[in-house]
Amino acid sequence: MESKSWFVGPSGFRSRDERLKIDASNKVSEEDGSDVSATETATGETSFAEPINDQLYVLYEPSDGNYDMEIIFVHGFYTEGSSDPWRTTWTNKDGTCWPREFLGTRFPRIRILSVSYDACVITNSTQGRMRLSTVAESLLVNFFLSSSNVGQTNNCPVFFVGHGMGCFVIKNLIIKVSQRYRQFEKERAKLLENVGGFVFYSPFNSGAETSLYENEPGKSNSLTDVMKVHNPDLSELNADFANLRSQMKEERKSRNLWKRSGLQRSETFVKEGTARQDCEVFMFGVGDHFNVCRHQSTKDVAYQCFESQLNSTLESIRNSLKEILPRESIRNPSEEILPPEIIRNPLEEILPRKRFSILFPYKLPFYSYEAFVEAAKTFVPQGFGVDGSEDEKRREIAALLAHFDHGTSGLTYKEYLPPAEAYCRPSNEFPCHPGKSYHGRGPLQLCMNYNYKLCGQGIGDDSLLSCPEKLSEDPVIAFKAALWFWCTPQCPKPSCHSVMTGMWTPTKKDIKDKRLPGFGLTINIINGYQPDKRVKKYIHFCKQLKVDPGKNIDCSGQKMYG
């Protein structure tokens, strides 16, 4: 995905006193008839916004709770006496909250959230003033609460829209998302994967030459200090954000994701040059610094450019999904299901048919490439072939093939025959059927009655417990069973998939027991037998798929799972 950012600046001039009294209030005036309360819209509807908590408000979402895109609005500074900046920043003089009314109408499958944080210019540290990085970290924790769940929906792009200081809160937040430390590691990775783009209204990338609030009481504070011209902290933040966007655009290889667009108009407070920095699309908006983010109509050219950016990103997402997801799972966020297309599986990109045949020259016809690819499609929504970096994706396939090779001597047999036992552990939940054996079958040699039962539930075939022989009769079911075991955690064991793709974070106990992410842990998870042979096979497959094996490739020193 590639990301875009926008910058909207003000047009129209008022006297300095007028600006400070009216515009700097960051509040829609009563004169304009738009002092709308938080629970009432201009049309008289109730529930203008539904609070998730005191930092996050839902401006719009589909009634069924299912959405295909998220937009997060982050306000900037406001002055003493202003109320509800999370709302008034985005409400025009007619009392219309344009994100809710304009975007909600155009994109009915969208979720729109507005952030609230303390950005009052007179608040100091003794009153609870937080630094820019602390504000971002606080919001990030909020995003990952189960009640918020921001950026955690598969194939659902997330846009960030900021005004003034809000632009830099967003930049700081995104940088923190990209940092790899243990808290919320899985959630951070998913949000980073889903970032669609950025729209910035009047960002002061090089600082503001004139204080927006110099007539306000109180002293400068850690947030207002960043507005100083050429503030080194602000310069460093901008550089880090630009580098991250460049890196992500390269990884996503898309022209429509991770873009930054900017909108601005008059240069009263923010110079056009500073607004244009690191911006693929720049647009002049309507209104001064405070009103440029309050679109009056869907006819505003700046709004139309914003809408166009959303459309192009969604189209990019849909095109990429055509290549990796079954047609049924692709949703057009604003219209109907996409028409039939030839769908490519991510497995095919990493492991083409010819390579598969070379790697398993003596395999049984039963283990066909077509069956493997068909089965893999079922697990794309769980991240198979999708999660992780390019190297991690290749390592995962190499690891899986190494275990296939070891368990079946190069895919040359379907099951252990004759079975030495029935591999049954009787229970009411997993009853064994008379005359049936639950010995190892398929590419990963799935065994035990409880695994057959759980696997059947996982792949949508409840007959596996009564008909375990399906795994040696139907090649697609055989590969599905292997991928189910690979992608499914079984407490306390993580899934092999999460271990190989960076989606698993070891606990303190895991670290103490030397169970760390890497191929070695997959040996531990599966059964721990003959680790040296498996490691040699893994190194061989990594070489064939042109990827470094990575760290922790053997399980020596690891404590085995009970």
Side-chain angles (χ1 to χ4, degrees), residues 409-423:
S409 297
L411 297 178
T412 59
Y413 60 83
K414 298 184 284 185
E415 58 185 315
Y416 284 118
L417 289 176
E421 57 179 291
Y423 291 87

Side-chain angles (χ1 to χ4, degrees), residues 468-485:
E469 60 274 10
K470 279 188 173 183
L471 266 71
S472 53
E473 296 173 348
D474 187 322
V476 174
I477 291 179
F479 276 116
K480 281 185 177 182
L483 288 168
W484 167 83
F485 185 89

Side-chain angles (χ1 to χ4, degrees), residues 40-336:
E40 182 181 26
T41 66
T43 59
E45 297 175 347
T46 58
S47 298
F48 178 90
E50 182 71 23
I52 294 177
N53 50 53
D54 59 1
Q55 284 188 334
L56 208 55
Y57 292 80
V58 179
L59 297 184
Y60 176 88
E61 67 178 1
S63 58
D64 61 6
N66 296 318
Y67 47 86
D68 297 304
M69 177 168 55
E70 292 181 276
I71 304 184
I72 315 299
F73 285 81
V74 185
H75 65 77
F77 284 126
Y78 56 90
T79 59
E80 186 178 28
S82 300
S83 62
D84 299 337
W86 58 267
R87 171 181 59 89
T88 55
T89 301
W90 318 105
T91 301
N92 64 28
K93 68 180 182 180
D94 294 331
T96 299
C97 176
W98 67 267
R100 172 189 171 101
E101 302 301 331
F102 298 172
L103 295 176
T105 300
R106 176 63 183 84
F107 302 98
R109 307 303 305 178
I110 198 173
R111 183 195 196 200
I112 305 175
L113 304 179
S114 187
V115 163
S116 176
Y117 67 103
D118 181 8
C120 181
V121 294
I122 67 167
T123 305
N124 57 42
S125 58
T126 62
Q127 297 168 297
R129 164 66 62 191
M130 295 188 290
R131 292 183 176 276
L132 184 60
S133 61
T134 313
V135 172
E137 182 67 24
S138 176
L139 290 176
L140 196 59
V141 172
N142 191 336
F143 283 1
F144 297 149
L145 294 175
S146 59
S147 57
S148 307
N149 201 43
V150 173
Q152 303 305 298
T153 303
N154 285 337
N155 307 308
C156 177
V158 181
F159 277 86
F160 291 88
V161 182
H163 174 246
M165 173 55 67
C167 305
F168 304 100
V169 171
I170 292 170
K171 288 184 178 183
N172 205 305
L173 185 148
I174 294 299
I175 289 172
K176 288 186 179 297
V177 170
S178 70
Q179 295 171 341
R180 296 182 67 85
Y181 49 92
R182 290 174 59 186
Q183 189 180 28
F184 301 116
E185 181 63 27
K186 182 178 180 180
E187 291 84 355
R188 290 172 190 268
K190 177 60 70 174
L191 176 56
L192 198 66
E193 172 189 322
N194 282 335
V195 169
F198 308 87
V199 177
F200 289 164
Y201 291 85
S202 292
F204 40 84
N205 291 308
S206 296
E209 294 185 0
T210 304
S211 172
L212 297 176
Y213 309 101
E214 63 183 21
N215 289 357
E216 288 294 317
K219 299 178 180 180
S220 64
N221 54 59
S222 56
L223 278 188
T224 57
D225 283 346
V226 302
M227 295 174 57
K228 294 177 180 178
V229 176
H230 303 310
N231 179 295
D233 292 337
L234 190 60
S235 298
E236 182 179 356
L237 175 63
N238 289 330
D240 289 345
F241 182 71
N243 290 336
L244 176 60
R245 286 205 313 114
S246 177
Q247 173 188 337
M248 293 304 297
K249 286 191 291 183
E250 177 61 27
E251 286 187 13
R252 302 298 176 84
K253 300 187 184 304
S254 168
R255 293 177 299 173
N256 296 314
L257 301 169
W258 273 84
K259 287 186 178 179
R260 190 181 85 76
S261 305
L263 293 91
Q264 145 124 6
R265 191 64 177 103
S266 87
E267 295 193 347
T268 307
F269 299 121
V270 180
K271 296 291 185 182
E272 177 184 326
T274 183
R276 285 182 180 269
Q277 289 180 14
D278 186 33
C279 180
E280 289 93 345
V281 179
F282 180 85
M283 190 71 196
F284 283 109
V286 177
D288 59 19
H289 172 82
F290 299 97
N291 286 303
V292 71
C293 57
R294 294 166 174 160
H295 295 303
Q296 194 63 29
S297 158
T298 56
K299 301 298 183 183
D300 288 357
V301 66
Y303 168 79
Q304 291 180 353
C305 287
F306 183 2
E307 185 179 293
S308 175
Q309 180 182 339
L310 297 182
N311 272 323
S312 64
T313 298
L314 289 170
E315 185 63 28
S316 180
I317 294 288
R318 291 197 293 268
N319 287 337
S320 66
L321 291 182
K322 292 176 189 178
E323 299 180 354
I324 65 173
L325 291 178
R327 180 177 61 84
E328 300 80 10
S329 64
I330 305 174
R331 292 280 307 280
N332 183 323
S334 59
E335 299 176 50
E336 67 285 341

Side-chain angles (χ1 to χ4, degrees), residues 286-428:
V286 177
D288 59 19
H289 172 82
F290 299 97
N291 286 303
V292 71
C293 57
R294 294 166 174 160
H295 295 303
Q296 194 63 29
S297 158
T298 56
K299 301 298 183 183
D300 288 357
V301 66
Y303 168 79
Q304 291 180 353
C305 287
F306 183 2
E307 185 179 293
S308 175
Q309 180 182 339
L310 297 182
N311 272 323
S312 64
T313 298
L314 289 170
E315 185 63 28
S316 180
I317 294 288
R318 291 197 293 268
N319 287 337
S320 66
L321 291 182
K322 292 176 189 178
E323 299 180 354
I324 65 173
L325 291 178
R327 180 177 61 84
E328 300 80 10
S329 64
I330 305 174
R331 292 280 307 280
N332 183 323
S334 59
E335 299 176 50
E336 67 285 341
I337 300 296
L338 289 170
E341 298 286 346
I342 298 176
I343 309 300
R344 285 189 65 79
N345 190 295
L347 176 65
E348 297 175 272
E349 301 297 326
I350 298 172
L351 185 68
R353 177 198 302 273
K354 184 176 180 180
R355 176 62 59 188
F356 182 70
S357 298
I358 292 172
L359 293 176
F360 296 97
Y362 305 110
K363 68 179 180 63
L364 296 174
F366 176 82
Y367 291 116
S368 70
Y369 180 76
E370 290 79 8
F372 189 14
V373 170
E374 181 63 29
K377 286 182 181 180
T378 303
F379 292 88
V380 169
Q382 294 186 33
F384 181 71
V386 178
D387 287 341
S389 66
E390 286 303 312
D391 282 352
E392 287 171 333
K393 292 173 187 176
R394 289 181 178 273
R395 288 190 194 111
E396 179 182 20
I397 300 302
L400 182 62
L401 296 182
H403 289 298
F404 282 2
D405 190 289
H406 179 81
T408 63
S409 297
L411 297 178
T412 59
Y413 60 83
K414 298 184 284 185
E415 58 185 315
Y416 284 118
L417 289 176
E421 57 179 291
Y423 291 87
C424 172
R425 187 178 297 169
S427 73
N428 292 331

